[in-house]
Amino acid sequence: MESDFPILSALIVTPALGALVVMAMPARRPECVRLAGYVFSFAVLALAGWLLFHYEAGSGYQFVEREQWLGDLGVQYKVGVDGISLFMVALNALLFPIALFASANITERTKSFFAWMLALEAALMGVFLSLDLIVFFVFFEFVLVPMYFLILGWGHGRRTYAALKFFIFTMAGSAFLLVGVLVLAFLHSDHTGKLTFDLATLTAWAPEGLDPGAAKALFLGFFAAFAVKVPLFPLHTWLPDAHTEAPTAGSVILAGMLLKMGVYGFLRFSLPLFPQAAVDLAPLLLVLATIGIIYGAIVAAMQPNVKRIVAYSSVAHMGFAVLGIFALTTQGLDGGVFTMISHGLTTSALFLLLGMLYDRRHSYEVDAYRGLWKVMPVLGGLFCVAAFASIGLPGFSGFIGEFLALIGTFIVEKPYAVVGAIGVVFAAVYLLWVFQRTFMGRPTGENAKMKDIGFRELACVVPLLALSLFLGIWPKPVLDVIEPDVKEVIQQVERGSDYREPAPAFEDAPSGHDDGGHE
Amino acid sequence: MLDYAWIIPALPAVSFFVIMFFGKRAPKHGAEIGIAAVGASFLLSCVAVVEWINRVEDATGGESHGLVALGKSIFAAGGAEHGVAPVVHTLTWWTSGGTEFGVGTTVDGLTVMMMFVVTLISLLVQIYSTAYMHDDRRYTWFFACLSLFTASMLTLVVSENLLQLLVGWELVGLCSFMLIGHWWEDRANSRAAIKAFLTTRVGDIGLMIGVIIMFFAAGTFSIVGINEYALGGEAQHSLLMFGALCLFIGIIGKSGQFPLHTWLPDAMAGPTPVSALIHAATMVVAGVYLGARVYPVLYEGFNIHDGGANFMAIIGGVTILIGALLAFVQRDIKRVLAYSTISQLGYMVMALGVGAWTAAVFHLFTHAFFKALLFLGAGSVSHSGSHHSFDMKSDMGGLRKHMPVTFATFMIGSLALAGIFPLAGFWSKDEILATAGESGFDAFVVVGLIGAVLTAAYMTRCVYLTFFGEYRGHGHPHESPRAITVPLIILSVFSVLAGFANAVPLGIHKFTEWFEPTFAFPHLVHAEFDYSLAIISVAIALVGIGIAASLWFRKEELGPFAGLTKRNALAGRGYTFLENKYYLDFLYENVIVDGIRGGVARAYYWFDQNVIDAVVKGVGRGAARAGRFAYDALDQRVVDGSINAIAAGTGEAGGAVRTVQSGRVQRYALLLFASVGVMALAVFLANVD
């Protein structure tokens, strides 16, 4: 293997090239389009596999590539990967072939569908690999376009409304991000006379160079963009609509990757650039995350539409990720990143399974289904596994992530951890209800005639659940890669603020004899 | 075997996968795989018991200095008194932030005793199930679930640390869910399964927080480490108190203690072998086991040594009484036994609460045999006597003539449960009462005695309705096949003999000697045998039997009490109160759950739809109006033209774009302008700053 092979650029360019190739193909030959889509997405998966294999844990950004782009404007093309982005890239590379593979029911305008999907994959790769703020912003924005057209072109019922709402929310958030990026760079150039958007340069300067008020304002600007994407309460209302109306592949990518952009943004940009502001405003995020955990779970419990239930459950799950990250402890950040990976696997699996039900009966209403386990034992079994994986049953990845996030939160803010633990229980409520009402009981009418899962469908779902199980049983390899870079983030925060990571123990334990120590 | 204890849970775990993937093709459809695996685990558990006993006897015979715990040296050197240290092995499961999360085995007397009970009863239940579940539609799956359950329960039992214990704890909950809902075609069964899973999970909130608190307090998840911390004298009492309280909430949920006991009677919807294994002998005692495992935390946290009434003892005492009372008003034989289980679990928790650790664990040991026996007996009755019904009043009666083996073994189980000398229940219940009395918990002795009279009475009613009188069913009752009767006989032998493991007046203290921890453990009171108390408790049980017998065995049915609930308003109200199970189910399901789903969730959703979205829409409309002027000034053809050009250039991909009606494109453009407006405002604000 050549060490100077531009692997990261290849990860971005390959799907983009795929999109162009697909576009150049004749629309009359959907089978060729499909083949090209599979080939390119699997090629990306292979590249990501190579990257995973050759990545060395604990040595900062790797495979960094750097090219001057718009030199006068200080914009450069700079990409790199560390332990946090590595798994986002891997998840992205995994989910796209699966999502394409699960889209056999897309028969209208197949070509555009595949082109948009590959373009989306390229944009998402760019988001997770960019180390220049402008390039990041461009990719971050570009993600919206394919997603908008995917919902609009191949969605269900109220897709126009959902697509537009999705666009309004995210665009509004991004506007603040752009302004934030520009202001940050201009302030930097005022001080140093050098206009740059390089993340490393700005990270080295911003914590000292910005005055506290400006840092806080900029943090809030970035916050607006990322919080919408997560989504944090109360900016979450676009998510249920977008999920409900999106086609299956769209939902998989939306839940699996798009939501991660927000949490990733907090980790990669907000914390290192504005450490003091992050520390000062962390209570706000912890409160919003905790509200999201409980609120998402409760609202999910009353939804008649299965996709909305899973959508609201995402609000709760991502609440855990944000809770862990803004606890600002190693365990919390580990847990947050792990929850992102885990949520990508389990929620995608749930959406794929729901898509299979929709393919057969064209309904997402809970009441339309009953007793499906009788006629589809394998699909029922897999749904049961996916539900328990999503609930965070020990043995699945969700448990590790949520438990670590809770431990990390408990170190600094005990009440939030307690409320979060209650949320863990709530999570079981709605998914088990869904499972009971759709899969248990006696099937009647059309439900009695449904076909069990096919080979292609099995091939989509099983890898995700198997990975979730594997990471639940043996999380060490992933945690060992994440942790050095998580520690680096915390050190950046410590360097730039008065915050010091507390040890995982009660403040005055075990030697103190006075009561207290428990809030 | 003490060093290789991990093999014991591993065997049924492997068997789970083998049955799931290959069971259907096996000649006996997977049953033989499950039985072979759990049989091997049982033999290994017996080896472990013998090795442990040798280890204890060597230590007490010679010197214990040679015995150093293996694994991590977390034990304070010389901190605790010399005792027989548990055999500990740990592997690092994962690490985070410098904390190692381990997985491993702790083997001591409590562990080997519990492994013996779990594997023995699992084995008998699996043999029993080959006949009981013979024609079941999911026979193979049933055996796979039983194997998974045994593996999970054993994982919990051998846990080296509380995190691993939590994993096992959740997994047995999962198996319980799957097995209660085994016949999920009926809505009642799936509802019961969900109720069980969710109710115990309410307790799990406490357990999870308790585990985290103890981790932060002691700096480790290790059970031995936490116990040493609790006894080390350096611990903050408030932390121990909160930790003990949270852990105890977990115990309440899992072990069916008031007020979270309501799931257990409904769990009887599962197949009867499951009720015997999971909901009588093993899983429901996981809470008691946890309490016994981390007893130093509870002991210090609840100040048990002070001899005052504490939360744990009170909950246990209340549970004894509410369970026993409800057992009277049931028509369903399994529900009688379920409420009886609740009541007996109350004894164990109360025993832990009054410092009678050994008595609690001893009662866990004996109860496992006779309660499994009773459940399997009830299953035998329904299998061969009452045509798959559990209704004592309409489908049973007079079965003693038709089912002699079932009747004889059921009688032994009932007498053991009622605490009649010299059966197993007598010894363990008596030890609880004697130790409570010795430690000054007189009120709880009285509660225990009232419980004893109630137990004897409701079992008499149950035995009468099932086996005496006239047969009221419609089938042709006959004795069950051997796969059912042999486990009954084996269990009845244990129900007779198990009590002699700690027959104090005969000078036998083997149970205490072998199984009570001597390492990192508080000094406990061991009561001398109290003859007067023993005589009182047997006499009181006989009185209970006598009263119940005089009520039901006499021809005139209830005698002077006939129709009492109709004649006397107070008695009537009391009966209604019991019929409705103290209205707890109503409170949980109709008030709390429906309240959250119907009220709170709807209110939140309304907030989503009408407040948050209204703000969004309002902002959108305002921005649109503001942008209208700027938009009108623009050449629309530029926008449309460029879009069309892209559409043409990109071939079919443009089709998607073209389907976007121009009106929507205009809105899209408007949006861009609105964003620019917001941006401009933000830049302005940032500059002001």
Side-chain angles (χ1 to χ4, degrees):
Chain A
M1 282 298 157
E2 283 178 41
S3 58
D4 53 354
F5 175 66
I7 175 78
L8 301 186
S9 297
L11 279 168
I12 301 172
V13 170
T14 310
L17 198 67
L20 290 176
V21 169
V22 165
M23 266 198 258
M25 283 178 145
R28 292 172 279 105
R29 303 293 299 277
E31 68 281 3
C32 294
V33 167
R34 273 179 206 285
L35 187 67
Y38 298 152
V39 166
F40 277 98
S41 59
F42 274 106
V44 176
L45 182 60
L47 288 172
W50 188 91
L51 182 68
L52 267 182
F53 189 72
H54 287 264
Y55 181 85
E56 274 172 51
S59 30
Y61 289 114
Q62 293 167 40
F63 304 99
V64 176
E65 294 166 38
R66 186 173 195 155
E67 299 290 336
Q68 283 303 314
W69 183 29
L70 304 170
D72 298 342
L73 295 175
V75 180
Q76 55 172 347
Y77 171 80
K78 184 179 174 189
V79 290
V81 66
D82 72 347
I84 298 168
S85 51
L86 178 69
F87 290 104
M88 295 299 110
V89 168
L91 190 62
N92 196 29
L94 175 69
L95 286 181
F96 269 91
I98 288 178
L100 288 180
F101 214 52
S103 302
N105 59 329
I106 302 285
T107 47
E108 281 175 56
R109 305 188 307 281
T110 315
K111 192 174 122 178
S112 336
F113 181 83
F114 273 70
W116 282 128
M117 282 293 280
L118 289 168
L120 184 58
E121 181 171 19
L124 281 165
M125 284 294 180
V127 167
F128 292 115
L129 291 173
S130 303
L131 295 178
D132 182 279
L133 286 160
I134 287 293
V135 177
F136 169 79
F137 179 79
V138 169
F139 281 123
F140 191 83
E141 277 304 88
F142 187 73
V143 164
L144 296 187
V145 179
M147 202 59 190
Y148 175 79
F149 286 114
L150 283 170
I151 297 177
L152 198 62
W154 294 268
H156 312 298
R158 301 203 309 157
R159 58 190 182 212
T160 321
Y161 171 75
L164 192 70
K165 195 169 175 184
F166 164 71
F167 216 103
I168 292 185
F169 261 99
T170 43
M171 273 297 283
S174 306
F176 288 100
L177 178 61
L178 177 60
V179 173
V181 168
L182 293 176
V183 169
L184 176 65
F186 290 141
L187 286 176
H188 174 250
S189 87
D190 284 352
H191 272 261
T192 60
K194 185 165 160 278
L195 185 63
T196 178
F197 293 94
D198 178 43
L199 178 63
T201 315
L202 290 174
T203 307
W205 171 80
E208 302 289 320
L210 283 176
D211 74 77
K216 218 167 254 181
L218 288 173
F219 178 86
L220 287 174
F222 279 58
F223 166 84
F226 299 144
V228 166
K229 279 280 179 357
V230 172
L232 273 176
F233 176 87
L235 304 172
H236 63 278
T237 57
W238 63 270
L239 183 68
D241 285 315
H243 265 314
T244 314
E245 311 308 343
T248 299
S251 289
V252 168
I253 300 305
L254 195 55
M257 298 317 303
L258 258 73
L259 306 191
K260 310 300 178 299
M261 287 163 54
V263 187
Y264 177 81
F266 281 130
L267 261 175
R268 175 67 78 231
F269 300 101
S270 301
L271 288 181
L273 285 171
F274 320 111
Q276 188 62 53
V279 171
D280 293 342
L281 293 171
L284 170 73
L285 278 115
L286 291 176
V287 168
L288 292 180
T290 315
I291 292 176
I293 291 171
I294 300 294
Y295 187 96
I298 288 181
V299 179
M302 56 118 347
Q303 299 299 326
N305 180 308
V306 257
K307 263 194 150 180
R308 289 186 94 82
I309 293 175
V310 181
Y312 274 109
S313 86
S314 288
V315 176
H317 283 299
M318 296 321 286
F320 272 106
V322 173
L323 189 70
I325 283 166
F326 279 89
L328 295 174
T329 52
T330 310
Q331 289 88 348
L333 264 75
D334 273 352
V337 176
F338 206 84
T339 302
M340 285 159 73
I341 301 169
S342 163
H343 175 262
L345 296 172
T346 56
T347 306
S348 302
L350 277 175
F351 276 124
L352 286 172
L353 291 163
L354 295 179
M356 291 170 201
L357 294 187
Y358 186 85
D359 289 346
R360 287 163 174 75
R361 282 283 317 275
H362 298 284
S363 175
Y364 283 123
E365 298 301 308
V366 177
D367 290 339
Y369 297 103
R370 173 178 264 249
L372 298 183
W373 210 354
K374 195 96 192 159
V375 285
M376 2 176 53
V378 179
L379 201 151
L382 287 172
F383 192 92
C384 189
V385 172
F388 276 106
S390 175
I391 283 168
L393 192 82
F396 291 103
S397 51
F399 172 73
I400 310 279
E402 286 174 9
F403 192 75
L404 273 175
L406 285 182
I407 288 207
T409 312
F410 196 86
I411 297 173
V412 283
E413 295 287 355
K414 288 159 193 71
Y416 298 118
V418 172
V419 178
I422 295 170
V424 171
V425 174
F426 270 132
V429 175
Y430 46 84
L431 278 176
L432 287 186
W433 267 334
V434 169
F435 185 70
Q436 184 213 8
R437 283 185 282 175
T438 52
F439 283 93
M440 291 173 158
R442 286 197 177 77
T444 49
E446 277 189 66
N447 285 329
K449 284 177 253 153
M450 286 170 75
K451 255 180 61 188
D452 202 355
I453 196 164
F455 175 75
R456 183 183 53 79
E457 296 170 320
L458 211 56
C460 292
V461 178
V462 168
L464 296 175
L465 295 177
L467 263 177
S468 173
L469 190 64
F470 174 76
L471 293 182
I473 293 172
W474 193 235
K476 196 171 166 21
V478 171
L479 282 172
D480 286 352
V481 172
I482 295 173
E483 187 153 317
D485 295 294
V486 153
K487 281 209 172 114
E488 173 60 27
V489 171
I490 289 182
Q491 277 162 15
Q492 282 171 337
V493 172
E494 285 184 342
R495 277 199 295 272
S497 73
D498 52 9
Y499 174 80
R500 295 294 171 266
E501 186 186 359
F506 287 99
E507 293 81 35
D508 41 2
S511 53
H513 286 275
D514 55 326
D515 285 0
H518 188 90
E519 301 171 20
Chain B
M1 208 51 233
L2 301 179
D3 290 320
Y4 299 98
W6 60 271
I7 297 172
I8 296 173
L11 285 172
V14 170
S15 127
F16 164 69
F17 288 104
V18 174
I19 296 176
M20 211 168 61
F21 290 109
F22 307 107
K24 284 217 163 121
R25 270 166 271 165
K28 302 269 183 205
H29 306 288
E32 73 273 49
I33 304 168
I35 291 174
V38 77
S41 283
F42 171 65
L43 291 178
L44 293 176
S45 302
C46 292
V47 173
V49 171
V50 172
E51 283 183 11
W52 177 259
I53 289 171
N54 285 337
R55 185 179 160 91
V56 172
E57 308 231 302
D58 289 353
T60 45
E63 274 299 308
S64 62
H65 294 301
L67 295 169
V68 181
L70 297 159
K72 293 268 168 335
S73 60
I74 38 171
F75 312 107
E81 89 255 43
H82 286 292
V84 186
V87 181
V88 181
H89 285 282
T90 325
L91 284 173
T92 303
W93 183 14
W94 89 81
T95 55
S96 172
T99 311
E100 290 202 350
F101 297 78
V103 57
T105 57
T106 303
V107 182
D108 65 356
L110 179 62
T111 315
V112 294
M113 186 281 290
M114 198 69 185
M115 287 198 300
F116 175 77
V117 170
V118 170
T119 51
L120 172 63
I121 295 185
S122 295
L123 177 63
L124 293 176
V125 160
Q126 292 208 7
I127 293 169
Y128 179 97
S129 301
T130 55
Y132 188 85
M133 303 294 286
H134 189 62
D135 296 319
D136 194 74
R137 51 205 143 188
R138 283 183 286 276
Y139 184 82
T140 305
W141 175 237
F142 181 78
F143 276 90
C145 280
L146 284 185
S147 277
L148 181 64
F149 170 76
T150 306
S152 314
M153 188 71 203
L154 290 169
T155 307
L156 186 160
V157 168
V158 300
S159 290
E160 186 268 336
N161 58 61
L162 285 183
L163 184 66
Q164 186 189 349
L165 191 140
L166 182 67
V167 172
W169 182 279
E170 293 287 330
L171 289 178
V172 292
L174 168 73
C175 299
S176 164
F177 170 82
M178 300 303 303
L179 287 165
I180 295 170
H182 183 69
W183 294 312
W184 40 256
E185 282 87 350
D186 289 319
R187 194 117 292 200
N189 297 346
S190 59
R191 280 183 69 94
I194 288 188
K195 183 175 175 181
F197 191 81
L198 294 182
T199 313
T200 51
R201 245 185 121 98
V202 171
D204 292 352
I205 303 175
L207 179 65
M208 202 180 260
I209 296 168
V211 168
I212 295 177
I213 289 178
M214 290 322 298
F215 164 68
F216 280 98
T220 174
F221 285 107
S222 153
I223 289 168
V224 179
I226 286 171
N227 284 347
E228 289 195 326
Y229 163 79
L231 293 172
E234 306 226 310
Q236 285 177 51
H237 186 260
S238 62
L239 281 185
L240 284 178
M241 196 182 74
F242 277 111
L245 199 64
C246 289
L247 291 175
F248 185 57
I249 291 170
I251 296 174
I252 289 176
K254 206 70 161 183
S255 284
Q257 298 298 295
F258 175 83
L260 294 181
H261 62 278
T262 58
W263 65 272
L264 190 56
D266 288 14
M268 297 300 125
T272 309
V274 170
S275 311
L277 175 63
I278 300 185
H279 304 116
T282 56
M283 186 195 84
V284 287
V285 299
V288 178
Y289 181 80
L290 168 69
R293 195 79 273 185
V294 293
Y295 197 56
V297 176
L298 301 178
Y299 192 78
E300 296 293 328
F302 285 127
N303 291 322
I304 290 170
H305 45 81
D306 291 353
N310 60 65
F311 187 56
M312 185 154 71
I314 291 170
I315 290 286
V318 169
T319 308
I320 294 176
L321 297 182
I322 60 133
L325 280 172
L326 282 181
F328 273 102
V329 295
Q330 307 301 322
R331 289 170 67 99
D332 181 316
I333 185 169
K334 280 178 76 180
R335 282 180 169 259
V336 174
L337 296 176
Y339 281 113
S340 162
T341 305
I342 291 171
S343 169
Q344 297 299 312
L345 289 166
Y347 272 104
M348 297 175 209
V349 169
M350 186 183 86
L352 288 178
V354 299
W357 186 94
T358 312
V361 173
F362 188 37
H363 197 57
L364 185 163
F365 178 70
T366 59
H367 174 261
F369 300 118
F370 58 72
K371 190 53 68 64
L373 168 60
L374 289 171
F375 268 110
L376 293 183
S380 170
V381 165
S382 92
H383 186 71
S384 314
S386 62
H387 211 68
H388 305 292
S389 162
F390 290 100
D391 192 320
M392 297 186 293
K393 288 198 168 170
S394 67
D395 297 310
M396 296 183 190
L399 288 172
R400 70 183 188 284
K401 283 166 264 169
H402 306 287
M403 312 181 76
V405 179
T406 305
F407 170 65
T409 53
F410 199 89
M411 283 305 288
I412 292 173
S414 304
L415 292 172
L417 172 59
I420 302 299
F421 177 84
L423 301 173
F426 164 76
W427 300 104
S428 53
K429 192 183 287 179
D430 206 67
E431 190 164 342
I432 293 175
L433 299 181
T435 318
E438 184 85 16
S439 317
F441 291 93
D442 292 334
F444 293 106
V445 177
V446 175
V447 170
L449 288 173
I450 296 173
V453 75
L454 292 172
T455 308
Y458 68 68
M459 278 320 291
T460 308
R461 169 179 176 269
C462 171
V463 167
Y464 172 76
L465 288 174
T466 310
F467 292 103
F468 292 87
E470 289 300 311
Y471 183 58
R472 296 177 290 275
H474 313 288
H476 301 284
H478 55 88
E479 186 54 88
S480 294
R482 207 163 288 155
I484 288 180
T485 51
V486 169
L488 292 180
I489 294 167
I490 295 173
L491 283 170
S492 59
V493 170
F494 276 100
S495 303
V496 174
L497 298 179
F500 288 100
N502 230 21
V504 182
L506 307 178
I508 307 173
H509 306 270
K510 289 299 178 200
F511 195 88
T512 314
E513 226 169 80
W514 290 337
F515 301 134
E516 187 178 292
T518 48
F519 187 87
F521 204 70
H523 289 285
L524 296 180
V525 177
H526 286 101
E528 279 307 304
F529 192 73
D530 188 338
Y531 281 96
S532 54
L533 191 61
I535 292 166
I536 291 173
S537 78
V538 173
I540 220 167
L542 290 173
V543 167
I545 293 174
I547 293 174
S550 72
L551 287 181
W552 277 284
F553 275 71
R554 279 201 284 156
K555 279 284 174 228
E556 48 276 51
E557 275 282 303
L558 292 165
F561 297 107
L564 180 69
T565 52
K566 293 190 186 69
R567 278 185 283 129
N568 183 313
L570 187 68
R573 243 176 271 147
Y575 188 75
T576 317
F577 189 57
L578 287 181
E579 279 267 272
N580 288 294
K581 301 173 271 185
Y582 315 113
Y583 296 98
L584 281 175
D585 273 339
F586 180 80
L587 174 69
Y588 297 156
E589 283 167 28
N590 299 47
V591 178
I592 297 178
V593 174
D594 286 355
I596 289 180
R597 252 171 107 185
V600 178
R602 254 164 239 289
Y604 282 5
Y605 190 56
W606 181 88
F607 182 76
D608 252 27
Q609 298 282 300
N610 295 302
V611 179
I612 301 178
D613 275 4
V615 170
V616 174
K617 279 180 198 151
V619 170
R621 254 182 237 122
R625 252 181 239 128
R628 176 76 57 192
F629 172 75
Y631 174 65
D632 286 343
L634 258 180
D635 188 347
Q636 273 185 301
R637 275 170 302 177
V638 174
V639 178
D640 286 355
S642 58
I643 295 275
N644 289 340
I646 294 167
T650 56
E652 213 216 13
V657 180
R658 228 176 282 126
T659 57
V660 181
Q661 296 144 19
S662 58
R664 218 171 289 127
V665 173
Q666 287 161 12
R667 296 227 296 273
Y668 169 43
L670 265 180
L671 231 138
L672 278 170
F673 287 110
S675 315
V676 170
V678 174
M679 271 185 252
L681 190 69
V683 172
F684 175 69
L685 288 177
N687 283 341
V688 167
D689 199 85

